[in-house]
Amino acid sequence: MKTFLFLLGLWISCTFCVQAQNLPVPEEAWPACTPARKGARILFIGNSYTFFNRMPAMVMAMADIRGLQADVHIHAAPAASFSSHWNDEEAGKKLTGNSWDFVVLQDQSATPVIAPERTLEFGKKLCSLVRSGNGIPVLFLTWGRKGSSNAPDKGEQEALRDTYLKLARQEKAALAPVGIAWENCAKLHPDIKLYLEDGQHPSEQGSYLTACVMYCTLFGKSPVGLPGKLTLKGVRLCNIPQAKAKTLQTIALETCKRLFTTPAGAGKKPEGRR
């Protein structure tokens, strides 16, 4: 919490701050997590929204650039859901056979909208399993399908937010506000294309924005100033013009700062391994 308040005082981009006044401020505490330590072990569990454009590797590359040396792993499959991961023997082995500081959990994109009870049921089981290993579950709040003006469909995004937020508060899990950042990006910069032509999967820019939100959420640090061109172990991950990368970084930072600033009287953030 102190990290984000400190960043708020340092922020000097006046133009964006004027625009950012229109971004939502939570009425209740947004579930944040204890910032990851150097060398933290992080597992991403999800589907194509997670593995497209090698987003977890982008997070690892960002951490490496800042000297955080995160150990990032992924277990994902097309269209996988919380329930399919719960019943997947390999996913179970990945979760229980290793010691993770954080596990990022992403449900199938439509399930929290059309069957929220399944997200809550199997999300609870996965969060409990993560906590049994002393890890911190981090829920990946995804984006709705593309609606007007390149923005997530308003109804879908509200349903996604409500379901993930309910699960996070019930299970005392952290919540990465990716879909909220996508909404803010579409509102402030509708020219930035976050979606592929199918109107669902992320473009390279969409995955980069997602990685910036994950970096803010997991490490409690600003992504502003990171390069738009990322590589990991010699493999190219993305090549975004630096000016556009800074815009995406700023949106991620402003989204997280506003959501993770606890209102007066709100509950404490969830605790876990430091």
Side-chain angles (χ1 to χ4, degrees):
M1 186 62 61
K2 291 181 179 179
T3 301
F4 286 112
L5 293 175
F6 177 69
L7 289 171
L8 182 60
L10 288 180
W11 188 243
I12 60 173
S13 180
C14 296
T15 300
F16 190 88
C17 282
V18 170
Q19 293 177 314
Q21 291 176 2
N22 296 319
L23 299 184
V25 178
E27 295 180 0
E28 300 179 61
W30 191 265
C33 63
T34 302
R37 60 179 173 78
K38 181 177 180 180
R41 303 195 74 241
I42 303 167
L43 173 65
F44 283 81
I45 288 192
N47 56 42
S48 54
Y49 279 26
T50 290
F51 69 66
F52 255 50
N53 305 306
R54 293 179 260 199
M55 185 273 294
M58 291 186 190
V59 176
M60 185 172 179
M62 291 175 177
D64 282 355
I65 290 168
R66 295 284 173 80
L68 296 169
Q69 300 171 337
D71 184 15
V72 177
H73 297 256
I74 180 173
H75 183 88
S81 64
F82 281 174
S83 60
S84 65
H85 281 306
W86 176 256
N87 292 297
D88 177 10
E89 184 178 349
E90 289 303 313
K93 288 180 179 178
K94 196 88 171 183
L95 275 167
T96 59
N98 298 272
S99 178
W100 305 106
D101 294 291
F102 299 88
V103 178
V104 180
L105 301 167
Q106 180 239 321
D107 200 2
Q108 191 274 337
S109 59
T111 303
V113 178
I114 62 176
E117 69 283 354
R118 290 185 63 80
T119 296
L120 296 174
E121 176 187 358
F122 290 96
K124 177 179 180 178
K125 293 179 178 180
L126 289 170
C127 286
S128 296
L129 189 59
V130 172
R131 288 203 177 279
S132 70
N134 295 318
I136 297 175
V138 181
L139 302 178
F140 178 171
L141 168 55
T142 54
W143 51 88
R145 290 173 296 178
K146 185 169 72 171
S148 60
S149 303
N150 292 320
D153 178 85
K154 185 177 180 179
E156 282 196 15
Q157 198 60 58
E158 287 179 353
L160 287 163
R161 180 200 62 204
D162 291 349
T163 300
Y164 275 107
L165 193 52
K166 183 176 182 179
L167 178 61
R169 286 176 174 155
Q170 285 182 350
E171 301 306 314
K172 298 182 180 179
L175 187 56
V178 176
I180 307 301
W182 277 49
E183 281 189 301
N184 292 337
C185 182
K187 181 178 181 179
L188 299 173
H189 301 278
D191 57 307
I192 296 180
K193 297 188 182 303
L194 302 175
Y195 294 89
L196 293 180
E197 293 304 315
D198 65 4
Q200 297 185 56
H201 288 91
S203 66
E204 186 174 88
Q205 294 173 147
S207 291
Y208 187 88
L209 175 57
T210 300
C212 287
V213 174
M214 288 295 175
Y215 179 85
C216 281
T217 302
L218 292 166
F219 297 98
K221 296 181 181 295
S222 169
V224 176
L226 287 165
K229 181 178 181 179
L230 295 175
T231 60
L232 187 66
K233 298 179 180 179
V235 177
R236 173 194 174 280
L237 301 176
C238 61
N239 189 10
I240 297 173
Q242 195 58 36
K244 186 166 290 186
K246 184 177 180 181
T247 296
L248 294 170
Q249 294 161 6
T250 301
I251 291 167
L253 176 62
E254 287 294 332
T255 299
C256 288
K257 283 195 303 185
R258 286 176 174 267
L259 292 176
F260 293 151
T261 299
T262 306
K268 295 180 180 180
K269 63 185 178 181
E271 298 179 353
R273 180 187 306 166
R274 296 180 181 273

